Amino acid sequence: QVQLVESGGGLVQAGGSLRLSCAASGRTFGMYAMGWFRQAPGKEREYVTRWSGGNTYYADSVKGRFTISRDNAKTTLYLQMNSLKPEDTAVYYCAAGNYNSDSAVSYLYWGQGTQVTVSS
């Protein structure tokens, strides 16, 4: 089992920045990929970015604005979000899985989510 706990969400004005954290515990050594997804009201869960096999990948909508990273102990995943836009408003979820994938169904473990609201 893997436990994931997100933090760092909040309210920010357009153009501002936030950094999300995801604290991982449990059997994390088996997780090949960790990523961030988001879900806005009335919309499907959307892929944002992932870390897999030492590489990072981004959705086109966040490329150049968001940066995924993790600490050396591999216990905390971060999402630095810059130049935020109102359309970035969503609940952001941290996820862990065994495959290098941008599909939510490939991820086995999920955090509870943290709300990010960007005002115009």
Side-chain angles (χ1 to χ4, degrees):
Q1 285 283 5
V2 174
Q3 294 78 42
L4 304 171
V5 179
E6 302 98 334
S7 61
L11 173 64
V12 64
Q13 289 188 331
S17 299
L18 280 175
R19 188 174 83 154
L20 306 183
S21 298
C22 172
S25 60
R27 300 174 68 85
T28 59
F29 63 87
M31 295 296 104
Y32 185 70
M34 292 190 71
W36 291 94
F37 291 76
R38 65 186 181 187
Q39 188 166 18
K43 295 188 177 181
E44 292 187 355
R45 192 163 296 191
E46 176 189 26
Y47 163 75
V48 176
T49 178
R50 71 190 186 273
W51 181 299
S52 181
N55 298 310
T56 58
Y57 307 84
Y58 297 91
D60 288 342
S61 59
V62 306
K63 201 171 293 183
R65 299 189 298 123
F66 290 11
T67 303
I68 188 172
S69 63
R70 66 180 190 178
D71 67 355
N72 290 336
K74 303 178 183 179
T75 59
T76 304
L77 188 72
Y78 300 100
L79 180 62
Q80 178 67 43
M81 305 185 294
N82 298 328
S83 303
L84 283 161
K85 305 175 181 179
E87 51 263 44
D88 294 318
T89 295
V91 176
Y92 283 70
Y93 297 91
C94 175
N98 294 326
Y99 301 99
N100 181 12
S101 173
D102 61 1
S103 174
V105 298
S106 297
Y107 289 80
L108 299 173
Y109 302 101
W110 293 84
Q112 82 289 350
T114 185
Q115 176 71 47
V116 171
T117 303
V118 184
S119 63
S120 57

